[in-house]
Amino acid sequence: MTSASSEAASGGPRTFTLASRASQLAQIQTNIVRDALAAAHPSTTFATSFMSTGGDHNQSQALYLIGGKALWTEELEVALRERAVDMLVHSFKDVPTVLPEGCEIAGVLKREDPVDCLVVRKDTPYNSLEELPDGSVIGTSSVRRVAQLKRRFPKFVFRDVRGNLNTRMKKLDDPDGPYAALILAKAGMVRLGWGNRVTADLAPPTLLHAVSQGALAIEIRSDDAEARALCAAVTHWQTEWACRAERACLRVLEGGCSVPVGVSTELQETEGRAGGVLVLTGCVTSLLGDRHVEHTVEEQVVTVEEAENVGVKLARILINTGAKEILDEITKDKETRIKKSQAEEVAAA
């Protein structure tokens, strides 16, 4: 791979290389970002590069047990810091709330619909969760989804399902397979051209979505002013403010992709004034779905920092009204399961 930095050092025009995971969805998302940058900067050349990450390699264990969001970003950030590439394209929901030193999010594209969705097995008559029979097996790798849905649908069986979207859809439609339906992010379905398979949206109050779900983020080196300027031209400030508020809430809750924290955000722009009214709802749900803490904060914001402060405020309210006890229990449960898994691996060796 020819690094952009080496091209610039040789005196030629700088080519900006965008990198992401090698999955089909990640490549589609990277091309979306590349095309947006190219349209905004027609005289600049943008290239792409793809690689596998830890999350891609481990497709057998539950996400809840194998780690946090760095599973999807760590290897990419090594390439970024070593200047092999210039920008990283992420599903914003996969980005840790604290980035490595020297890295920053410089661009956030307009968000796709952030809701989760129900996808039922092909050739079955069901159109909603309410229509599915008791005992139906629902596939999802998200403890957030399982925890929230157990509250409303305690008679379903929730089972982990891993793999890329094509693999998961094959598992769903297998007539001998166990799954009656899957719960997936709608944005990924739409970007991959599977929108026609969406059976129903699962919007609040049924299901609060993951932090930053539906948004694409561009990560750069903090010392790369040229890349930062390029990214600014494609940033949708309303999406950035909403996502940064959500991420600030999650950061205070010390959550990762395997923690049942759900959010829902609305930014009502104020005519003739900067910013708008930010309405941020967040929830933390116990793994069994028997306890649920949910609150909403609504404030006028005129800067992205004020939007982040709304997220911090919401997190503190959640912590003080029961979320801390739930999250502490989840941490203990995770540690117990990891020790059990490690003991089983040793015994099988």
Side-chain angles (χ1 to χ4, degrees):
M1 182 194 311
T2 302
S3 73
S5 301
S6 65
E7 289 190 32
S10 67
R14 182 177 177 184
T15 294
F16 288 83
T17 300
L18 286 66
S20 77
R21 296 164 55 202
S23 72
Q24 183 184 5
L25 178 57
Q27 293 193 41
I28 288 172
Q29 293 176 163
T30 301
N31 291 338
I32 289 172
V33 174
R34 179 202 60 198
D35 293 347
L37 286 166
H41 309 285
S43 62
T44 303
T45 301
F46 298 93
T48 56
S49 177
F50 305 101
M51 65 184 73
S52 295
T53 65
D56 298 307
H57 294 308
N58 190 331
Q59 293 288 330
S60 58
Q61 288 180 283
L63 290 176
Y64 178 57
L65 299 179
I66 62 175
K69 301 186 179 202
L71 280 168
W72 311 114
T73 61
E74 191 170 17
E75 290 95 332
L76 291 164
E77 285 167 341
V78 169
L80 180 67
R81 292 197 301 271
E82 292 180 350
R83 301 180 181 272
V85 300
D86 303 282
M87 301 176 183
L88 305 180
V89 177
H90 303 295
S91 290
F92 208 178
K93 70 181 179 66
D94 293 336
V95 179
T97 55
V98 177
L99 295 178
E101 184 177 354
C103 297
E104 66 180 68
I105 298 298
V108 183
L109 273 66
K110 186 176 181 179
R111 196 177 206 169
E112 283 277 2
D113 190 342
V115 299
D116 291 305
C117 66
L118 172 72
V119 182
V120 301
R121 183 188 291 181
K122 199 172 184 179
D123 300 326
T124 57
Y126 309 113
N127 294 305
S128 67
L129 282 169
E130 289 78 8
E131 293 181 13
L132 286 167
D134 292 349
S136 293
V137 177
I138 311 297
T140 176
S141 299
S142 163
V143 294
R144 169 189 58 83
R145 293 169 181 153
V146 172
Q148 289 187 57
L149 291 175
K150 275 184 176 179
R151 297 178 62 232
R152 296 174 182 269
F153 305 97
K155 294 184 179 179
F156 289 159
V157 176
F158 295 94
R159 184 175 296 184
D160 194 66
V161 58
R162 294 288 309 279
N164 60 37
L165 186 59
N166 289 336
T167 298
R168 282 180 282 173
M169 293 296 286
K170 286 180 181 178
K171 291 179 180 179
L172 170 65
D173 291 333
D174 181 353
D176 298 320
Y179 303 104
L182 302 179
I183 309 295
L184 301 163
K186 184 178 181 179
M189 292 286 288
V190 171
R191 288 177 181 139
L192 276 167
W194 290 85
N196 63 319
R197 284 298 305 272
V198 172
T199 304
D201 291 349
L202 300 177
T206 300
L207 194 55
L208 274 67
H209 58 75
V211 165
S212 303
Q213 187 160 296
L216 300 179
I218 310 171
E219 184 178 357
I220 66 167
R221 293 182 297 276
S222 298
D223 62 1
D224 194 341
E226 192 175 358
R228 185 182 299 110
L230 294 174
C231 292
V234 299
T235 292
H236 185 253
W237 71 267
Q238 298 92 331
T239 297
E240 180 186 21
W241 287 26
C243 288
R244 287 192 183 275
E246 296 170 9
R247 286 168 58 78
C249 178
L250 183 59
R251 185 165 56 246
V252 174
L253 292 171
E254 297 182 347
C257 64
S258 58
V259 174
V261 175
V263 292
S264 178
T265 310
E266 182 182 1
L267 181 59
Q268 305 162 351
E269 295 180 55
T270 306
E271 188 174 352
R273 295 176 59 186
V277 176
L278 182 64
V279 184
L280 177 61
T281 299
C283 72
V284 179
T285 313
S286 65
L287 293 177
L288 295 177
D290 56 340
R291 282 166 297 146
H292 178 83
V293 181
E294 182 174 326
H295 286 280
T296 299
V297 174
E298 178 176 336
E299 288 190 6
Q300 177 79 38
V301 294
V302 295
T303 66
V304 68
E305 290 78 17
E306 289 183 357
E308 289 182 313
N309 288 338
V310 171
V312 172
K313 181 177 181 179
L314 174 60
R316 288 173 177 163
I317 292 172
L318 291 169
I319 288 170
N320 292 331
T321 54
K324 183 179 187 302
E325 290 77 12
I326 294 173
L327 292 172
D328 287 346
E329 288 178 11
I330 289 169
T331 298
K332 291 179 181 177
D333 175 81
K334 183 176 179 179
E335 291 173 351
T336 300
R337 293 196 193 192
I338 289 174
K339 288 179 182 177
K340 180 180 178 182
S341 176
Q342 291 172 340
E344 289 173 348
E345 288 180 5
V346 171

